[in-house]
Amino acid sequence: MIKKSLLILALITVHLTSVFSQNRTAVIRQDVPLDSVRLSDPFILVDKKASLYYMTGTGGMLWKSNDLKKWTGPFSVAQTDPESWMGKNPMIWAAEIHQYNDKYYYFATFTNREVKIDTVGGNVIERRACHVLVSENAEGPYIPMKDPIYLPANKPTLDGTLWVDKDGKPYMVYCYEWLQNLNGTIEKIELKPDLSGSIGEGKLLFRASESPWSREQLNGKVGPNKVTDGPYLFRTGTGRLGMIWTSWIDDIYTQGVVYSKSGTLDGPWIQEKDPITPPNYGHGMLFCTLTGKWLMSVHSHKTVNGRNIRIPHLFDVDFSGDKLIVGKPYIP
């Protein structure tokens, strides 16, 4: 099963390298329906002052909409330093835009395919890490800050997101990739007050193998899946701290939820028994619409003529009580 997983990953990576690249030529389109946008890891920022929705994700491009129905884009917004560890043309995964204090911060995973940091099980691991860019405006451009790195150069990390914990300090919550540790983790690291760098070292929150719902076939036996993907944090109406995250059930992308017993990032984190999305939906985040309705954005996978297509979707959600409840698909 590990060999099969690596093969699937390799095929997807080779096919989508140009899609993930920030330097591809973008043809701006208008009035594009949401289900016609091709985007994985969709993240939606709501700008109440401008009455606009901004959507980004893997590829690092930006889409704009005033109603969630029709979108304009994609616009290139990330400006990385070619002299940095990222190189001249890094791949960009799972970009997020967070408004924090009086600025906008661009959390994303950058991969320099020219630099190899490890080989595990015959699989060569490229230089990949979470990083943060900054802008005065939601539409960018987003540029590097002071610190050249946020996480260790010898560890592949991905899908970083922002959370301010009860101690008032900002943190990056991210995945340490299973390709190297063979049992993916979700971890936290404290950020500087202006998010310009990290403080100290990362701390383990939980491992992929602790999930009761993410499973795979291992040598003819059912065992825990090793993938951690797409953490996103929220508080329920009762103040309970939760995190949605994604893994796999065999070859089906699926999302679950975990809750912190202490109400802080330090946990302990208690996994829910069952996933919260239907099969083939994952890498979610939560946002409140301009009309006050809470939704979850996710993406699905579809193969068309041998090509892997990823499509953003919206779901109704309710977390006004003690738990996150995912409702029906939402059609703008």
Side-chain angles (χ1 to χ4, degrees):
M1 189 65 188
I2 292 178
K3 290 182 178 180
K4 179 181 178 182
S5 298
L6 292 174
L7 177 59
I8 293 173
L9 176 69
L11 291 174
I12 292 175
T13 300
V14 169
H15 176 70
L16 294 179
T17 296
S18 62
V19 176
F20 293 162
S21 170
Q22 64 176 327
N23 291 334
R24 63 190 177 97
T25 302
V27 177
I28 307 302
R29 296 178 289 155
Q30 295 184 341
D31 296 329
V32 180
L34 181 64
D35 61 5
S36 295
V37 175
R38 298 296 174 254
L39 180 70
S40 61
D41 315 325
F43 186 97
I44 296 177
L45 173 74
V46 182
D47 188 333
K48 292 183 178 180
K49 290 184 178 180
S51 294
L52 283 173
Y53 300 98
Y54 295 103
M55 180 169 65
T56 188
T58 287
M61 310 298 277
L62 186 72
W63 293 81
K64 299 187 292 184
S65 174
N66 59 14
D67 60 5
L68 295 175
K69 296 179 182 179
K70 300 294 181 66
W71 294 83
T72 298
F75 301 94
S76 179
V77 295
Q79 296 182 2
T80 57
D81 179 3
E83 300 302 319
S84 72
W85 67 265
M86 299 179 193
K88 296 180 180 180
N89 187 25
M91 296 167 65
I92 302 178
W93 294 356
E96 301 184 358
I97 296 174
H98 294 270
Q99 186 175 6
Y100 182 72
N101 293 334
D102 59 347
K103 295 183 180 181
Y104 295 86
Y105 294 88
Y106 182 94
F107 283 63
T109 304
F110 298 90
T111 300
N112 184 343
R113 305 204 69 195
E114 300 301 317
V115 178
K116 317 301 179 184
I117 63 171
D118 201 357
T119 300
V120 179
N123 186 57
V124 177
I125 300 173
E126 298 158 345
R127 177 75 168 93
R128 176 178 304 120
C130 306
H131 203 85
V132 185
L133 309 180
V134 66
S135 176
E136 301 286 341
N137 305 292
E139 297 186 22
Y142 290 89
I143 61 175
M145 289 187 281
K146 291 180 292 186
D147 283 20
I149 62 172
Y150 282 73
L151 293 161
N154 61 348
K155 293 175 62 174
T157 56
L158 67 159
D159 295 354
T161 191
L162 174 66
W163 183 252
V164 179
D165 213 6
K166 283 187 174 182
D167 59 9
K169 297 177 180 179
Y171 293 86
M172 179 191 291
V173 176
Y174 61 93
C175 301
Y176 173 22
E177 196 169 25
W178 68 273
L179 287 173
Q180 186 177 59
N181 64 22
L182 302 181
N183 186 5
T185 65
I186 290 183
E187 306 183 0
K188 72 165 187 176
I189 193 167
E190 185 181 344
L191 298 176
K192 295 180 178 180
D194 63 355
L195 311 189
S196 63
S198 59
I199 299 172
E201 298 180 352
K203 180 179 178 180
L204 174 70
L205 303 186
F206 62 86
R207 303 178 188 278
S209 59
E210 296 172 27
S211 165
W213 57 265
S214 59
R215 319 301 288 171
E216 66 180 348
Q217 298 288 331
L218 297 169
N219 300 319
K221 297 181 180 180
V222 177
N225 200 286
K226 52 190 167 293
V227 177
T228 49
D229 185 87
Y232 184 86
L233 294 117
F234 64 95
R235 286 202 184 275
T236 68
T238 61
R240 193 180 188 194
L241 178 60
M243 181 197 306
I244 51 179
W245 68 287
T246 302
S247 190
W248 296 77
I249 301 176
D250 288 331
D251 59 350
I252 304 297
Y253 199 59
T254 311
Q255 183 171 258
V257 64
V258 60
Y259 294 99
S260 169
K261 190 173 181 178
S262 69
T264 72
L265 287 177
D266 289 327
W269 290 89
I270 310 301
Q271 303 283 344
E272 290 287 280
K273 179 181 177 182
D274 300 311
I276 59 171
T277 58
N280 195 33
Y281 294 97
H283 202 112
M285 59 82 60
L286 308 174
F287 69 98
C288 186
T289 70
L290 293 169
T291 58
K293 183 179 181 62
W294 280 96
L295 299 174
M296 179 174 68
S297 70
V298 293
H299 77 258
S300 67
H301 298 77
K302 182 169 66 173
T303 301
V304 178
N305 297 325
R307 298 181 60 191
N308 186 278
I309 304 298
R310 301 181 180 192
I311 305 168
H313 302 267
L314 302 175
F315 279 84
D316 287 318
V317 292
D318 180 5
F319 53 102
S320 59
D322 196 45
K323 287 188 175 185
L324 172 67
I325 300 172
V326 179
K328 296 180 180 179
Y330 176 79
I331 309 299

